[in-house]
DNA sequence: CTGAAAGCGCTTACAG
DNA sequence: CTGAAAGCGCTTACAG
C-alpha cells in the first residue's frame, strides 16, 4: 500500500532512524543523506504528518479564528497570517465564528484537540471577557480586539484615537450634529464609540450613538431608519467597512446627497471606497502589518512562554476624501489621484508605527 | 501532564477501548456512556486528533487551494466550503498559490503528507493540464477551472456562454469595437475569451483580445495603455472582478466617461459594482452554490471512488447596469433599486440551475 | 456490551 | 554518525 519510512529505509539500506534524521536536521553523513534522498525519490515517499505530530508533539499548525473571512479586513489579515505561517513551515486552520460565542467555544475546543502550536483570534466581547490568562491551553494572540487587560497578547488599532480623529476632522469642517453607528459585539467597536464620545465631549457636542450588529445589512436598516427622522444627524461615522457600505446604500435609498445632506466617514480603506462618488473618508488600518505583528507576537510567545503579556497598538491613517467635505453640492471629482485627499490639519500625525509595545 | 484516554478510563473505571467507543459511535451501555462522559468532564479530557487520525486513517480534513483569498470570488467560495466542511465534522486547511505553479506543487505535496480526505482546488492552466486522472493520491474537485477532460470532478461556470451574453448585450446596445482583456493563467479566462471571440464572429466583428495577469494592477496598467491609443475600443470586457476594478481605475485616470467614451462590462457581482457611478454590468456567479456543489461532489467522490468523473456547469446571471448603456452622457442614477438594471432582452435566460451534471 | 493486545508511522533518547 | 527499541495516544479487530 502506501509507502512508509520503513520502505525508504530498506531501499536506502539504512535504519528508519537514519531516514528520519536525514529528512530532518539530524546529523548524517553526506553519503547516507544522498542515498536516503534517492530512496525517497524512488519510492515516492511522503511522510505522514499525523504520525510526525503525534510523536514529536509539534503540530506545526496555527489556528486562525475570525468573525467572517468575507469581511475584507479579516480577509487581508488572514492572508498576512497565512504567508507568515507557511514561511515558517506551519499550516493554517481557518474558522469563521459569525460573532457567535457558541461557535467560538467550539473552535477553541477544536484547537485544543488539534494541539495547535498557537492561535490568532478575533474574539467577541463576551468571549474575550470570559477568558482569563490561564483559560487557554495554547499560546494565543488576539487581533483587532483585546480582552481582559494583561490576560493575552494582542495587536489592536488605536481605536479611540482613530475615532476621535474622525470627529476632529468633521468638526473642523463645521459639522456639529455628528452621529455614530457602532458594532455591538466587539471591544473594538466599544473603543471606537468611546473615542467618538470623548471627542464630542471635548467640543461640547452631544454624542448621538447607536449600535447594531456589525454587518452591512444591519447598518443599512438602522441607518435608513435613523436618517429618515427629521432630526437626523448631518454627519455619520460608521465603525467598520461593512457598515460603511450599508450606510452608503441607505443614503442612496433615501436620496440623500453626500456630503451635502449627510457627511459620511468610517473605517477600513477598502478599494471601493475611493471608487464611489463621492470618495469616502476612512481610517485606513495597517492590515498586513496587523497580521504580521500577530504572528511575530505568537512566535515570540511560543519561544518565551513566561514573558510578560504584550499589547501592540498600531495607529490608523486618516484618508480624507470628499464625503466629509463641508458644503457639499460642489463635489469635485479627482480622477488622477488615487487618494484625492484635500489637505487638512489632522491633529495627531497618524502613521503605521507601533505606538506602544509593552 | 496532559490528560489522555487512559486517565479517563481510570476515572470511569473502564478500559480505554470502552472510552473510545463511548466517545465515538461504538456500542456501549447507557450507564457506561454516562460514566465516561462524567469522567471526561471531570478530567477535562480532549482527544488528540493527531493520534486519532494516525490510527483511524481518517484525516477529516479538506484542503482548499485557491489563487488568492483576497479575490472576493474565492473569499465567498471558501466561506461556503468551510461551512460545509465544518458541518460535516471536517477541518479546512487553506492555501494561497498566487497563480504560481511552484506553490501549487508545494501545496499538493502538503496535502499528500496531511493524508487529507479531499481537496478543492482552483488550479492554474499549467498545473491543471499536467494533472492526469491518477496524478493525485486524494479525491479532488476543481472549482472555477477545469483540467483535462474527464480527468477530475469539477464545478465551473458556463464561461463561454456568459462571455457571449456580454457581447450579445453590447452589440444589442450598438457597440461594435468591443475589446476583451482576459486573465492569462486559467482555463476559465481562456474559455471566456473563446466565448467572446465566438460571439464576435457571429456578428462578423473583429475580436480585440489581450491577456494579462488576472489582477487589478496588471489590468489597470494594460487598460491604461490600450485606452490611450487612438483606435481604442468603444467597449471593454474584463474577465474577472479584480480586473474590472483595474479598468475602472484606468478610465478615471484617463478621464474617460463611462459609458459615453467607453462601455465597461465584466465578471463577478461584487458589492461595489453597483455603488460606483455608473453601475457596472457584470455576470454574477453563484459563488455560494459553487462552493457547496464542490463539497457535494467531493463527498460523493469519497463515497464512490470509482464513479465516472463529473462536471457541474453552472450558469451566470447577467446583471445589466448603466456602464453598458449606449449613448452615455445622460447617465441616470437610480438610487432606489439595488440593481438599477435597465430592461433588455438577454438571449439565453441565465439562472443558477445546474445545466449539466454528468 | 466489554477488555487485552496490537499497531497506525513516525521520532527520540540511549548506546555504541 | 548509526541502529535497536521504545513509545507518542489513540482505534480496532479479536475474543469473550
Amino acid at each position: 500500500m502506501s509507502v512508509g519510512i520503513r520502505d525508504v529505509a530498506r531501499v536506502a539500506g539504512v535504519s528508519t532512524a537514519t531516514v528520519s534524521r536525514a529528512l530532518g536536521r539530524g546529523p548524517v553523513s553526506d553519503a547516507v543523506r544522498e542515498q536516503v534522498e534517492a530512496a525517497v525519490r524512488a519510492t515516492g515517499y511522503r511522510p505522514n504528518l499525523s504520525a510526525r505530530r503525534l510523536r514529536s508533539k509539534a503540530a506545526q499548525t496555527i489556528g486562525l479564528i475570525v468573525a467572517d473571512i468575507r469581511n475584507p479586513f479579516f480577509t487581508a489579515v488572514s492572508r498576512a497570517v497565512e504567508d507568515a505561517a507557511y514561511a515558517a513551515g506551519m499550516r493554517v486552520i481557518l474558522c469563521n465564528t459569525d460573532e457567535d460565542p457558541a461557535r467560538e467555544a467550539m473552535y477553541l475546543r477544536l484547537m485544543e484537540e488539534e494541539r495547535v502550536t498557537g492561535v490568532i483570534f478575533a474574539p467577541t466581547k463576551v468571549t474575550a471577557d470570559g477568558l482569563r490568562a490561564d483559560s487557554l491551553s495554547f499560546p494565543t494572540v488576539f487581533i483587532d480586539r483585546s480582552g481582559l487587560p494583561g490576560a493575552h497578547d494582542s495587536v489592536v488599532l488605536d481605536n479611540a484615537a482613530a475615532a476621535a480623529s474622525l470627529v476632529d476632522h468633521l468638526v473642523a469642517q463645521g459639522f456639529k450634529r455628528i452621529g455614530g453607528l457602532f458594532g455591538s459585539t466587539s471591544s473594538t467597536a466599544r473603543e471606537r464609540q468611546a473615542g467618538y464620545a470623548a471627542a464630542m465631549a471635548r467640543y461640547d457636542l452631544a454624542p448621538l450613538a447607536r449600535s447594531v450588529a456589525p454587518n452591512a445589512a444591519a447598518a443599512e436598516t438602522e441607518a435608513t431608519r435613523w436618517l429618515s427622522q427629521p432630526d437626523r444627524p448631518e454627519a455619520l461615522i460608521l465603525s467598520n467597512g461593512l457598515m460603511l457600505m450599508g450606510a452608503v446604500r441607505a443614503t442612496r435609498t433615501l436620496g440623500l446627497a453626500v456630503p451635502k445632506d449627510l457627511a459620511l466617514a468610517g473605517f477600513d480603506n477598502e478599494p471601493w471606497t475611493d471608487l464611489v462618488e463621492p470618495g469616502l473618508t476612512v481610517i485606513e488600518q495597517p492590515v498586513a502589518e496587523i497580521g504580521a505583528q500577530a504572528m511575530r507576537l505568537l512566535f515570540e510567545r511560543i519561544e518565551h512562554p513566561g514573558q510578560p503579556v504584550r499589547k501592540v497598538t498600531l495607529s490608523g491613517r486618516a484618508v480624507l476624501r470628499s464625503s466629509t467635505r463641508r458644503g457639499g453640492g460642489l463635489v469635485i471629482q479627482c480622477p488622477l489621484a488615487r487618494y484625492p485627499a484635500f489637505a487638512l490639519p489632522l491633529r495627531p500625525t497618524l502613521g503605521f508605527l507601533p505606538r506602544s509595545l509593552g
Side-chain angles (χ1 to χ4, degrees), chain A:
Chain A
M1 288 297 305
S2 176
V3 17
I5 199 170
R6 300 184 52 163
D7 303 291
V8 178
R10 194 183 314 116
V11 171
V14 297
S15 71
T16 59
T18 297
V19 173
S20 178
R21 289 192 200 97
L23 262 30
R25 68 259 142 59
V28 275
S29 68
D30 288 353
V32 166
R33 169 160 282 127
E34 275 171 37
Q35 274 169 221
V36 170
E37 282 168 1
V40 165
R41 255 168 293 154
T43 56
Y45 170 69
R46 290 285 179 270
N48 181 319
L49 293 184
S50 291
R52 181 176 282 176
R53 288 187 181 114
L54 173 60
R55 181 54 236 244
S56 68
K57 296 182 175 301
Q60 303 283 75
T61 302
I62 301 296
L64 177 60
I65 309 178
V66 298
D68 187 351
I69 187 69
R70 288 171 299 191
N71 178 334
F73 171 78
F74 289 124
T75 311
V77 168
S78 83
R79 180 62 213 260
V81 166
E82 280 155 26
D83 286 350
Y86 284 107
M90 307 238 171
R91 295 140 240 352
V92 174
I93 297 180
L94 178 58
C95 306
N96 297 280
T97 68
D98 287 333
E99 309 273 1
D100 177 356
R103 293 186 64 163
E104 292 181 316
M106 184 187 91
Y107 287 129
L108 288 175
R109 183 185 166 135
L110 172 63
M111 295 304 135
E112 291 187 334
E113 300 187 348
E114 293 280 359
R115 305 292 195 268
V116 292
T117 311
V119 166
I120 295 198
F121 184 21
T124 60
K125 188 157 172 49
V126 168
T127 294
D129 290 349
L131 251 27
R132 293 181 44 80
D134 56 356
S135 302
L136 266 15
S137 62
F138 37 76
T140 304
V141 174
F142 285 179
I143 51 168
D144 182 54
R145 308 162 182 198
S146 54
L148 298 176
H152 301 278
D153 292 324
S154 57
V155 181
V156 297
L157 196 75
D158 190 340
N159 290 302
S165 76
L166 251 20
V167 173
D168 290 337
H169 165 55
L170 287 164
V171 169
Q173 287 290 300
F175 295 102
K176 287 194 173 3
R177 290 188 49 78
I178 304 168
L181 188 52
F182 301 92
S184 55
T185 55
S186 68
S187 62
T188 285
R190 301 290 178 93
E191 290 170 16
R192 291 175 187 174
Q193 182 165 348
Y196 154 84
M200 292 294 279
R202 269 200 281 107
Y203 295 108
D204 284 324
L205 296 174
L208 304 164
R210 300 191 180 189
S211 61
V212 293
N215 60 61
E220 181 176 356
T221 301
E222 183 60 29
T224 302
R225 188 169 356 193
W226 197 356
L227 299 175
S228 302
Q229 296 174 194
D231 62 341
R232 62 173 160 77
E234 51 184 19
L236 191 58
I237 293 173
L238 289 303
S239 81
N240 75 28
L242 299 176
M243 297 173 75
L244 181 57
M245 182 173 277
V248 170
R249 293 203 188 283
T251 63
R252 300 279 170 95
T253 304
L254 297 171
L256 295 176
V258 177
K260 182 167 169 288
D261 299 329
L262 180 81
L264 234 34
F267 282 77
D268 298 333
N269 187 24
E270 295 169 19
W272 63 270
T273 56
D274 79 325
L275 244 27
V276 296
E277 188 57 37
L280 300 170
T281 290
V282 292
I283 298 291
E284 176 174 306
Q285 298 198 61
V287 282
E289 179 76 4
I290 290 172
Q293 289 269 3
M295 286 299 281
R296 186 176 65 79
L297 250 48
L298 188 58
F299 286 137
E300 291 178 9
R301 169 65 52 199
I302 290 163
E303 283 216 70
H304 311 290
Q307 82 181 355
V309 169
R310 300 194 296 177
K311 177 174 186 170
V312 173
T313 303
L314 300 172
S315 293
R317 185 169 75 89
V319 178
L320 306 181
R321 302 200 182 101
S322 306
S323 69
T324 50
R325 183 162 212 167
R326 183 63 192 188
L330 209 196
V331 175
I332 295 154
Q333 178 151 4
C334 310
L336 284 166
R338 180 65 173 271
Y339 293 151
F342 51 99
L344 241 208
L346 186 64
R347 292 202 323 141
T349 301
L350 299 174
F352 281 171
L353 298 174
R355 294 190 47 183
S356 69
L357 211 174

